[in-house]
Amino acid sequence: MSDESATSDGTITAEDSPDSRDVVVVGCGPAGTAAAVFTARYGLDTVVFDRGSGSLDRCAFLANYPGFPAGIDVETFTDCCREQARAAGCDVVTDLVEGVERVSVGEKQFRVSTQDGRTVLADQVVAATRLTGEYLRPLDGDAMFEVHEHGGEEHEHFDPDYADADGRTPVEGLYVASPSGQRDVQAAVAAGQGTHAARSLVEDRRVERGYPPGLAKHYDWLRPESEFGGEWGERERWREWFDERVPDDHATDAGTLADLREEYVDDAFATRRSSEAVTALTDRAHRRLAGELDTELLLDAVDDDAIREYLDGHE
């Protein structure tokens, strides 16, 4: 931002930014991928920065991640993480984040600076870098770190208790999926913590828009058509369900609440998938996964007669 000037409180006076996003995720390991996929699928403009040492770099082979009966090599798993983030709508950028600062440009709260000279303004930031949190220091200084003595020497680390169990921090708009103490010491746990932190982020945005707390949580899943049978196939039943969960002391005005109710019902029906749609999604998913695998090994795993039958049917 060569044309910007910053005041002592971090306010940037320039009107324009080279890049402006809803969410910046730092790290594209299990925690970062899970967080980014969740925010992007919710419709938030999300960019993921992914470069530097990660915990999985120290793993010889990933043997305990759900969904892989024989385990999965780290390179393929990492490639799949990046591809899933891209498929969800994220931009995945190979660049190292060097600093995150508090700023004020419209609704943007953060300025993210990278090693390659990129500058991104963001509403919210999700940290997902287990081995370091140094780039966050400009936001709250030493309060974010703790000192340990080991072998007669003092070592400073990001405080695993700086963020709460939901990933929220004392810095509004900053969420930490990793490092988070024992909540991200295994890849499967880290993925869960990443999604949990992202759900907190989305919930906070929905509360700001006026959703009552009991209705602000977002669940990202697709429903089979059978879930919309009977009364649940009618919008009015969903409206009633919404109204039943609005507390008496909510502060949202009637007009906004009515709009949010219709949005909530729209979102519910948008999750409906027919059996034909599920079949199409399954076919696409299997093809995408097969594309990540070694072709020769994939052919070796398939029965020769099945290959001949396939080729005969596609002449």
Side-chain angles (χ1 to χ4, degrees):
M1 254 186 250
S2 58
D3 61 341
E4 75 182 24
S5 61
T7 64
S8 60
D9 65 355
T11 301
I12 296 175
T13 58
E15 294 181 359
D16 298 318
S17 166
D19 198 1
S20 181
R21 303 299 182 108
D22 294 327
V23 179
V24 168
V25 177
V26 186
C28 200
T33 300
V37 167
F38 196 91
T39 59
R41 283 176 55 83
Y42 184 70
L44 301 179
D45 185 8
T46 302
V47 59
V48 186
F49 287 104
D50 183 42
R51 189 168 78 193
S53 298
S55 296
L56 282 179
D57 294 335
R58 300 164 60 187
C59 178
F61 186 80
L62 189 55
N64 61 356
Y65 199 91
F68 299 99
I72 186 72
D73 64 285
V74 172
E75 182 179 0
T76 299
F77 178 78
T78 301
D79 287 345
C80 285
C81 283
R82 295 191 184 105
E83 284 305 308
Q84 186 170 7
R86 293 188 183 99
C90 304
D91 286 330
V92 179
V93 180
T94 304
D95 199 354
L96 182 69
V97 171
E98 292 191 325
V100 181
E101 301 171 90
R102 171 72 78 182
V103 297
S104 179
V105 180
E107 296 182 357
K108 304 304 176 186
Q109 303 185 78
F110 301 101
R111 176 174 56 193
V112 179
S113 304
T114 74
Q115 188 177 74
D116 291 347
R118 292 181 173 87
T119 299
V120 180
L121 297 183
D123 296 340
Q124 292 153 308
V125 171
V126 179
T129 51
R130 175 163 176 75
L131 298 184
T132 181
E134 183 63 30
Y135 60 95
L136 299 173
R137 188 181 289 274
L139 294 174
D140 203 12
D142 292 343
M144 309 178 86
F145 298 85
E146 61 180 8
V147 177
H148 295 278
E149 185 174 323
H150 181 70
E153 297 181 354
E154 289 188 343
H155 299 270
E156 189 178 54
H157 303 281
F158 190 84
D159 184 354
D161 295 321
Y162 185 75
D164 66 19
D166 297 323
R168 296 182 176 95
T169 72
V171 178
E172 183 180 354
L174 172 66
Y175 302 80
V176 176
S178 183
S180 59
Q182 294 299 305
R183 293 189 296 274
D184 64 347
V185 296
Q186 297 276 270
V189 182
Q193 182 63 15
T195 300
H196 193 61
R199 289 190 68 221
S200 297
L201 183 157
V202 170
E203 180 182 1
D204 291 346
R205 291 183 73 105
R206 287 162 69 89
V207 168
E208 288 178 3
R209 293 184 55 218
Y211 273 97
L215 290 159
K217 292 185 182 298
H218 177 64
Y219 301 88
D220 182 11
W221 66 325
L222 301 178
R223 296 177 172 94
E225 208 163 30
S226 59
E227 290 286 312
F228 293 83
E231 62 178 351
W232 290 102
E234 303 296 329
R235 291 181 64 91
E236 188 57 35
R237 181 64 185 94
W238 287 88
R239 294 188 185 103
E240 292 173 358
W241 191 93
F242 183 98
D243 290 338
E244 290 166 359
R245 283 154 181 77
V246 176
D248 293 336
D249 59 350
H250 73 87
T252 307
D253 66 84
T256 299
L257 190 64
D259 290 340
L260 292 174
R261 181 192 299 112
E262 292 308 302
E263 177 182 280
Y264 192 94
V265 177
D266 286 342
D267 289 345
F269 277 88
T271 67
R272 179 170 57 183
R273 294 294 184 275
S274 66
S275 58
E276 293 80 11
V278 172
T279 298
L281 287 170
T282 301
D283 181 73
R284 177 178 178 272
H286 288 183
R287 289 177 181 275
R288 191 69 174 266
L289 181 59
E292 297 294 327
L293 303 178
D294 182 274
T295 303
E296 185 173 342
L297 288 177
L298 190 63
L299 290 172
D300 283 344
V302 180
D303 181 78
D304 289 346
D305 290 338
I307 293 177
R308 294 190 189 95
E309 183 178 343
Y310 176 83
L311 293 175
D312 290 341
H314 289 79
E315 290 181 349

